[in-house]
């Protein structure tokens, strides 16, 4: 009987399984589901409000905003480069983090800290659109929308005593809307000196955190607390107008420097200069300039037939870098015909000066700055100069910390009456950037002229165009000027034909000095007077000593 029962069990098991599988197939798999319908595809204007709200977060920015550009090409580029970017970024993270980890080894019973695994995964960030803003400033402004739903595997191992703790970061999702500013634009590759990055809104951050294979973020309340804390910390330092400055060009590049002060130079006299004339004398004068500057050198008057000239002439030069720039002094013998003979030269590093402190130098003259040149052994005389450096007052406070410490610039602008005279010394910087739609009756070879305080400074001429680009800077150093004085920017066209030169005004604009002093910085496009559609773009800054 026992054998028969075993046999029946085997037969029932062998028959029951196929019958059960067959019934399950026909009951659950073979019948087509009746509640599944093909999706209805309709134009977006036919959707109701609820459907639109559900769809809106997935619509890319270039579709929602007409001023956003598509970035398919950029996402394709990033996708192809991601395997290499992943390794490069991870190597940079390792090299940066390892010295920081080393500081904690031996403290708090920590034996070692290291990355057990470090990869950003196979999914690159994607750009959902990008805006390019036009600005009057000398800069390029980009605003991309970035999303990253990544699968990174970052595992940090911490050994404390005999316990090994593993902390793993997984499933990171980030949405950010940064503003990236390349400024200032300069004629030195890569054509911008720094990158400023800020966030237009608080970033959305989501991630998983496993501690010893347990999901820490599953603890009630901890997930939202960690998310909000990270968002506040990031926003406190990088939410606009806070910025992260990333220098690109070396600080020694003169084009990227802003003026920091005025160098007062008094050329006093020269002693025992070389005899260059036939009668045993010279007609000396001095040229002086700062290294790294493109503006023409200043020069003294010519003292006739003397080897010990006395000038006592004062000059003012604009300093952009007190630590690296030098004052170059070159003494020449004036000639009525032909090139002027060089009597000698010398340089003075500006770092030897203290602010607001006059210092006299008696300098031996040499042929050049090469100490191994045998011509430098010849005595060429001396030149005596007196130097004083006056720095500008500090710029408005820059955003360098949390928003709470920011002070509005408006509170620091002094009230100035138009009837008063501005007694303090200062520097007026005028950059004529370009013009648009300037049209002459006979020719279009425009150049710009800046007239102020009796001085006249002119840009280069750009031939055969109605939209010239000059981007040239002029400097006017003022001891005292009436706030009612006018800065005139005029666009003229010149043409030379058959030995004769014709000149034609294409329009002008008058700007009150009071407006520049009060605002300290004006960067705007002005409609030209006596021009049909002409516009001139001018940047003006006022710096106070």
């Amino acid at each position: 009987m026992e054998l028969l029962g075993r046999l029946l069990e085997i037969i029932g098991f062998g028959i029951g399984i196929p019958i059960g599988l067959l019934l399950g197939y026909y009951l659950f798999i073979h019948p087509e589901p009746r509640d599944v319908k093909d999706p209805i595809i309709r134009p977006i204007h036919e959707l109701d409000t609820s459907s639109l709200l559900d769809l809106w977060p997935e619509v890319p920015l270039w579709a929602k905003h007409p001023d956003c550009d598509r970035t398919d090409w950029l996402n394709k580029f990033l996708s192809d480069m991601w395997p290499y970017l992943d390794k490069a970024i991870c190597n940079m993270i390792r090299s940066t983090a390892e010295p920081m980890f080393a500081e904690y080894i031996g403290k708090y019973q920590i034996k070692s800290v290291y990355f057990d695994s470090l990869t950003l995964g196979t999914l690159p960030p994607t750009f959902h659109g990008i805006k390019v803003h036009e600005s009057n400033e000398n800069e390029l402004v980009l605003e991309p929308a970035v999303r990253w739903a990544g699968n990174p595997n970052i595992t940090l191992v911490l050994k404390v005593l005999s316990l090994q703790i593993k902390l793993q970061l997984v499933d990171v999702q980030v949405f950010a809307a940064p503003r990236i500013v390349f400024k200032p634009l300069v004629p030195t590759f890569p054509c911008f000196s720094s990158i400023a990055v800020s966030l237009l809104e608080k970033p959305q951050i989501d991630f998983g955190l496993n501690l010893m294979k347990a999901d820490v973020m599953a603890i009630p309340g901890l997930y939202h607390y960690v998310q909000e804390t990270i968002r506040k910390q990031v926003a406190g330092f990088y939410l606009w107008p806070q910025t992260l400055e990333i220098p690109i060009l070396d600080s020694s590049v003169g084009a990227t420097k802003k003026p920091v002060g005025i160098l007062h130079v008094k050329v006093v006299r020269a002693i025992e200069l070389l005899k260059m004339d036939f009668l045993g004398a010279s007609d000396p004068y001095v040229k002086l300039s700062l290294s790294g500057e493109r503006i023409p050198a200043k020069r003294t008057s010519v003292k006739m037939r003397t080897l010990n000239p006395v000038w006592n002439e004062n000059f003012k030069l604009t300093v952009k870098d007190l630590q690296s720039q030098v004052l170059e002094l070159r003494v020449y013998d004036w000639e009525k015909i032909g090139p002027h003979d060089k009597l000698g030269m010398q340089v003075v590093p500006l770092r030897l000066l203290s602010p607001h402190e006059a210092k006299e130098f008696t300098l031996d003259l040499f042929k050049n700055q090469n100490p191994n040149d045998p011509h430098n052994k010849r005595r060429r005389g001396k030149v005596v100069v007196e130097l004083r450096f006056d720095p500008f007052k500090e710029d408005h406070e820059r955003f360098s910390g949390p928003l709470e410490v920011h002070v509005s610039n408006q509170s620091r602008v002094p009230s100035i009456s138009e009837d008063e005279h501005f007694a303090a010394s200062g520097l007026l910087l005028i950059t004529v950037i370009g013009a648009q739609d300037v049209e002459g009756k006979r020719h279009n070879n425009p150049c710009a002229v800046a007239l102020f305080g009796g001085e006249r400074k002119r840009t280069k001429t750009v031939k055969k165009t109605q939209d010239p680009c000059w981007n040239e800077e002029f400097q006017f150093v003022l001891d005292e000027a009436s706030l009612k004085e006018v800065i005139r920017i005029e666009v003229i066209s010149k043409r030379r034909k058959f030995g004769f030169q014709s000149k034609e005004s294409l329009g002008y604009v008058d700007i009150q000095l009071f407006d520049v002093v009060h605002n300290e910085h004006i960067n705007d496009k002005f409609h030209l007077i006596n021009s049909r559609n002409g516009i001139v773009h001018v940047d003006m800054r006022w710096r106070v000593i």
Side-chain angles (χ1 to χ4, degrees):
M1 292 296 294
E2 183 179 355
L3 180 61
L4 182 60
R6 296 271 184 181
L7 184 60
L8 292 175
E9 287 180 6
I10 295 173
I11 293 173
F13 183 77
I15 296 174
I17 288 179
I19 293 175
L21 292 174
L22 187 62
L23 291 175
Y25 172 77
Y26 279 101
L27 289 175
F28 301 104
I29 300 177
H30 181 69
E32 294 183 0
R34 298 178 181 178
D35 56 344
V36 177
K37 300 180 181 179
D38 292 333
I40 300 175
I41 301 175
R42 292 181 294 171
I44 192 170
H45 65 270
E46 295 182 2
L47 298 178
D48 56 17
T49 303
S50 177
S51 300
L52 282 174
L53 291 176
D54 294 338
L55 182 64
W56 194 251
E58 304 302 324
V59 177
L61 284 180
W62 60 265
K64 293 187 286 187
H65 302 287
D67 57 344
C68 281
D69 297 325
R70 298 185 63 168
T71 54
D72 297 341
W73 65 271
L74 183 58
N75 291 326
K76 174 61 177 174
F77 171 80
L78 193 59
S79 176
D80 294 340
M81 288 291 295
W82 184 245
Y84 307 97
L85 289 172
D86 177 23
K87 293 182 180 180
I89 295 172
C90 290
N91 289 335
M92 185 172 62
I93 293 175
R94 284 184 184 273
S95 61
T96 304
E98 286 177 356
M100 299 171 61
F101 293 161
E103 296 179 1
Y104 290 94
I105 296 177
K107 299 179 181 179
Y108 313 109
Q109 304 298 321
I110 298 176
K111 291 186 176 180
S112 63
V113 184
Y114 61 91
F115 286 110
D116 184 48
S117 61
L118 178 58
T119 175
L120 300 182
T122 58
L123 302 176
T126 57
F127 291 84
H128 287 247
I130 188 170
K131 293 182 182 180
V132 180
H133 290 279
E134 292 187 2
S135 172
N136 286 342
E137 300 292 338
N138 190 24
E139 62 188 16
L140 176 64
V141 182
L142 304 180
E143 290 182 2
V146 185
R147 289 184 180 179
W148 183 37
N151 55 348
N153 182 16
I154 302 175
T155 304
L156 185 67
V157 178
L158 178 67
K159 288 187 178 180
V160 181
L161 297 177
S162 59
L163 181 64
Q164 181 172 292
I165 302 173
K166 284 190 176 182
L167 191 66
Q168 185 180 25
L169 180 68
V170 294
D171 299 331
V172 175
Q173 295 188 34
V174 178
F175 174 74
R179 171 176 288 174
I180 305 173
V181 182
F182 301 87
K183 65 175 185 180
L185 303 179
V186 295
T188 304
F189 190 81
C191 298
F192 54 88
S193 62
S194 67
I195 301 176
V197 182
S198 59
L199 296 174
L200 299 179
E201 58 186 43
K202 290 183 179 180
Q204 302 291 336
I205 302 174
D206 189 9
F207 58 89
L209 193 62
N210 297 332
L211 179 62
M212 305 294 291
K213 297 185 179 181
D215 188 2
V216 177
M217 306 307 290
I219 300 175
L222 181 62
Y223 172 77
H224 294 288
Y225 173 77
V226 171
Q227 263 199 334
E228 192 61 27
T229 301
I230 293 176
R231 291 182 65 196
K232 286 183 178 180
Q233 290 295 324
V234 173
F237 286 96
Y238 304 117
L239 188 64
W240 189 89
Q242 313 284 356
T243 59
L244 171 65
E245 293 279 350
I246 305 174
I248 301 299
L249 291 180
D250 188 81
S251 60
S252 62
V253 179
T256 67
K257 288 290 185 178
K258 295 180 180 180
V260 296
I262 298 295
L263 178 66
H264 298 264
V265 181
K266 182 179 181 180
V267 182
V268 182
R269 64 185 185 277
I271 305 171
E272 298 180 356
L273 296 176
L274 291 178
K275 301 175 181 179
M276 303 298 293
D277 293 345
F278 178 74
L279 299 177
S282 294
D283 305 320
Y285 68 91
V286 181
K287 277 189 175 182
L288 54 154
S289 61
L290 289 177
S291 60
E293 290 292 340
R294 299 179 180 179
I295 60 177
K298 309 279 187 178
R299 58 175 288 178
T300 67
S301 59
V302 178
K303 299 299 180 181
M304 305 300 292
R305 294 182 296 277
T306 178
L307 301 180
N308 297 281
V310 177
W311 287 286
N312 286 323
E313 297 180 15
N314 296 295
F315 302 90
K316 296 176 183 178
L317 303 174
T318 304
V319 179
K320 292 185 176 179
D321 192 336
L322 190 65
Q323 297 301 316
S324 65
Q325 284 188 294
V326 298
L327 173 66
E328 299 177 354
L329 299 164
R330 303 179 186 274
V331 184
Y332 291 89
D333 175 40
W334 180 81
E335 297 290 343
K336 189 173 183 179
I337 300 175
H340 300 178
D341 297 326
K342 184 177 178 181
L343 298 177
M345 61 88 60
Q346 187 55 278
V347 297
V348 182
L350 300 189
R351 62 177 179 271
L352 302 178
L353 304 178
S354 300
H356 306 295
E357 181 181 326
K359 192 172 183 179
E360 186 175 279
F361 294 86
T362 301
L363 307 169
D364 291 319
L365 295 175
F366 297 97
K367 182 178 181 181
N368 52 50
Q369 297 184 58
N370 182 8
N372 298 321
D373 191 337
H375 293 93
N376 284 330
K377 296 181 180 180
R378 182 183 179 185
R379 294 177 59 88
R380 295 176 175 269
K382 302 176 185 290
V383 62
V384 181
V385 294
E386 185 179 294
L387 308 180
R388 187 182 83 247
F389 172 69
D390 289 337
F392 293 128
K393 291 182 179 179
E394 292 295 329
D395 292 338
H396 290 321
E397 295 180 8
R398 301 188 66 184
F399 299 115
S400 57
L403 288 173
E404 294 77 24
V405 301
H406 170 53
V407 179
S408 173
N409 286 350
Q410 295 179 357
S411 63
R412 300 189 59 186
V413 178
S415 59
I416 304 174
S417 170
E418 292 191 44
D419 295 331
E420 296 178 357
H421 281 73
F422 196 77
S425 299
L427 174 69
L428 177 62
L429 293 170
I430 300 177
T431 302
V432 185
I433 298 173
Q436 299 173 6
D437 298 326
V438 289
E439 184 177 358
K441 295 180 180 179
R442 297 183 299 275
H443 43 76
N444 286 307
N445 303 314
C447 67
V449 179
L451 301 100
F452 179 73
E455 293 188 70
R456 176 187 175 95
K457 299 185 179 182
R458 186 175 70 90
T459 68
K460 63 180 180 294
T461 299
V462 183
K463 295 184 177 181
K464 298 180 180 180
T465 180
Q466 295 183 4
D467 303 304
C469 179
W470 298 294
N471 200 28
E472 293 190 31
E473 181 183 89
F474 305 128
Q475 301 176 0
F476 298 88
V477 181
L478 308 178
D479 285 329
E480 181 177 306
S482 171
L483 294 177
K484 293 184 178 181
E485 285 197 47
V486 173
I487 306 163
R488 170 164 291 193
I489 308 296
E490 184 178 9
V491 181
I492 61 176
S493 176
K494 290 185 177 182
R495 183 178 68 174
R496 182 176 293 276
K497 190 174 183 180
F498 304 117
F500 297 95
Q501 180 175 316
S502 63
K503 183 173 69 173
E504 179 182 352
S505 176
L506 306 183
Y508 69 93
V509 62
D510 289 336
I511 304 162
Q512 296 288 333
L513 176 63
F514 171 80
D515 294 333
V516 182
V517 172
H518 180 72
N519 293 287
E520 296 188 358
H521 180 203
I522 294 178
N523 187 333
D524 207 347
K525 294 180 179 179
F526 301 90
H527 289 275
L528 292 170
I529 301 173
N530 293 339
S531 175
R532 180 184 301 176
N533 300 309
I535 294 174
V536 65
H537 186 185
V538 184
D539 182 288
M540 293 167 289
R541 299 174 186 266
W542 174 254
R543 307 295 299 275
V544 181
I545 298 177

